[in-house]
């Protein structure tokens, strides 16, 4: 079996990580994987997994990207994949249009993965046109059914993103050397009630909500300290400055630490007391919150999207009405002296082997047609 994955690039991000994990798992099962993207820092990982990477600018939102349609059609005819798996909207358009230029008998089956709650319009509808459509959560399936009724319900398959249960489990703990360096780098965190907000620095993640939460906890004499873990991508610097200015105005800037991107997220999640999800827009899945839960660490989050699904299953006490910072602050005040323990270990279908097996079964179904 050969699978060709199309996505914009291979820099850091949730979609990119899923494609890397798929390549690792599928290659281990003898599947030939070809990844087509504009490239990025994760290409060596893709190649180390045993997949091939072909550099093509198929993800830019530009009319000039249409020039890639013919080239992609020729690439598909040369590679002869059984499955064309599209992971983003622009590459999906390129892939769909390319397949129309290929004789029907030579076309691969098309699988599309809905990794996010895209704006509902004709542009996004391309993701609902695959022979099979993967939803990464039940709420994503409902989103597709509600907004793209032309997609047959039987064509939508729920395959959640996954975690590495060998690494993210309640027995995992950072080394003493790691803790020594952590507190050497961030001495302000010693003895504090640390609240971790992971994720790239974007408006979606809700970092400004930390200000009233920290104000409330400090007013109660609780030494709360927020740890914002994530990359500030080019073009998002002004937003980070805006958030920082809000912390300054609220008088909580001294109890916020920005770590930037970290490759040791499992250790950071273990070191912090609570992991937060403060997104006002629902997340399609919420991988980092699932990783924290699987480590046995408490998570408090707004009760919608994929994070809400996780909390209902693993830690209902962590669910907070969406956008209600007062309720979040009061919950964290309660947890300061009595933190709950989530249900662990994380069961199927959230384990890495479950995700890989589900993709294999789906691909095999299409190959037998």
């Amino acid at each position: 079996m050969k699978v060709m994955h199309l996505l914009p690039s291979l820099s850091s991000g949730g979609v990119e990580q899923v494609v890397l994990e798929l390549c690792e798992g599928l290659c281990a099962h003898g599947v030939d994987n070809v990844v087509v993207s504009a490239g990025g820092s994760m290409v060596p990982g893709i190649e180390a997994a045993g997949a091939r990477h072909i550099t093509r600018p198929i993800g830019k939102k530009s009319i000039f990207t249409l020039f890639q349609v013919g080239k992609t059609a020729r690439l598909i005819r040369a590679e002869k994949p059984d499955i064309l798996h599209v992971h983003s909207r622009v590459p999906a358009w390129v892939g769909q249009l390319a397949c129309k230029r290929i004789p029907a008998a030579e076309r691969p089956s098309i699988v599309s993965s809905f990794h996010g709650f895209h704006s509902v319009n004709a542009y996004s509808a391309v993701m609902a046109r695959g022979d099979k459509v993967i939803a990464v959560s039940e709420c994503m399936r409902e989103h597709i059914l509600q907004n793209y009724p032309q997609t047959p319900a039987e064509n939508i398959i729920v395959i959640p993103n996954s975690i590495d249960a060998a690494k993210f489990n309640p027995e995992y703990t950072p080394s003493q050397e790691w803790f020594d360096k952590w507190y050497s780098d961030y001495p302000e965190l010693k003895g504090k009630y640390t609240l971790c907000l992971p994720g790239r620095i974007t408006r979606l993640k809700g970092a400004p909500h930390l200000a009233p939460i920290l104000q409330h906890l400090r007013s109660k004499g609780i030494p709360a300290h927020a740890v914002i873990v994530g990359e500030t991508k080019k073009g998002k610097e002004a937003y980070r400055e805006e958030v920082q200015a809000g912390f300054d105005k609220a008088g909580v800037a001294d109890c916020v630490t920005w770590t930037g991107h970290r490759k040791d997220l499992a250790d950071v999640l273990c070191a912090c007391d609570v992991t937060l999800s403060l997104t006002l827009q629902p997340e399609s899945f919420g991988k980092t919150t699932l990783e924290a839960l699987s480590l046995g660490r408490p998570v408090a989050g707004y009760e919608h999207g994929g994070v809400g699904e996780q909390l209902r299953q693993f830690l209902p006490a962590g669910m907070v009405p969406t956008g209600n910072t007062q309720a979040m602050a009061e919950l964290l005040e309660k947890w300061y002296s009595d933190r709950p323990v989530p249900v662990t270990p994380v069961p199927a279908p959230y384990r890495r082997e479950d995700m890989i097996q589900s993709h294999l079964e789906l691909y095999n179904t299409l190959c037998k047609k």
Side-chain angles (χ1 to χ4, degrees), residues 224-240:
H225 196 107
V227 183
I228 302 177
V229 184
E231 175 186 15
T232 304
K233 283 204 160 186
K234 187 176 180 180
K236 298 295 182 181
E237 298 89 351
Y239 174 66
R240 172 173 167 162

Side-chain angles (χ1 to χ4, degrees), residues 155-341:
N155 283 3
I156 306 172
I157 312 300
V158 178
I159 304 180
N161 292 338
S162 67
I163 53 128
D164 182 355
K167 183 174 185 180
F168 293 93
N169 62 73
E171 286 71 45
Y172 181 83
T173 186
S175 67
Q176 187 57 52
E177 289 78 12
W178 185 91
F179 274 115
D180 291 342
K181 187 171 191 319
W182 175 251
Y183 288 117
S184 174
D185 291 342
Y186 307 109
E188 68 274 19
L189 302 183
K190 284 187 176 179
K192 300 295 176 58
Y193 180 38
T194 46
L195 311 174
C196 181
L197 184 67
R200 285 183 287 184
I201 310 306
T202 64
R203 201 169 295 276
L204 173 70
K205 296 298 181 180
H209 286 205
L210 287 169
I213 292 169
L214 290 168
Q215 285 178 321
H216 174 90
L217 293 172
R218 292 184 79 179
S219 73
K220 301 296 182 178
I222 295 173
H225 196 107
V227 183
I228 302 177
V229 184
E231 175 186 15
T232 304
K233 283 204 160 186
K234 187 176 180 180
K236 298 295 182 181
E237 298 89 351
Y239 174 66
R240 172 173 167 162
E241 292 172 4
E242 175 189 326
V243 174
Q244 183 62 49
F247 292 153
D248 291 335
K249 185 176 181 180
V252 298
D254 62 328
C255 52
V256 177
T257 293
W258 303 77
T259 72
H261 174 68
R262 302 278 307 202
K263 293 183 178 180
D264 53 352
L265 187 58
D267 300 292
V268 174
L269 295 174
C270 284
C272 292
D273 294 302
V274 181
T275 296
L276 302 180
S277 175
L278 302 175
T279 60
L280 283 176
Q281 298 178 32
E283 290 201 78
S284 58
F285 183 67
K287 182 170 184 174
T288 307
T289 52
L290 184 63
E291 288 174 341
L293 290 165
S294 68
L295 286 165
R297 311 302 296 173
V299 171
Y302 293 148
E303 57 183 6
H304 58 179
V307 174
E309 283 185 23
Q310 294 168 17
L311 289 171
R312 275 189 288 275
Q313 185 171 358
F314 302 115
L315 188 63
M319 293 176 21
V320 175
T322 302
N324 192 331
T325 56
Q326 181 64 30
M328 178 68 75
E330 290 173 358
L331 177 65
L332 294 172
E333 177 187 355
K334 176 183 176 182
W335 282 7
Y336 177 58
S337 57
D338 185 21
R339 283 188 281 284
V341 178

Side-chain angles (χ1 to χ4, degrees), residues 77 98-108:
R77 294 193 74 177
C99 284
K100 290 183 183 298
R101 299 191 180 191
I102 300 172
E106 298 179 29
R107 293 175 191 167

Side-chain angles (χ1 to χ4, degrees), residues 2 58 89 123 134 136 270 291 364:
K2 180 185 283 191
I58 59 169
R89 289 174 290 179
Y123 167 54
I134 295 174
V136 298
C270 284
E291 288 174 341
N364 278 318

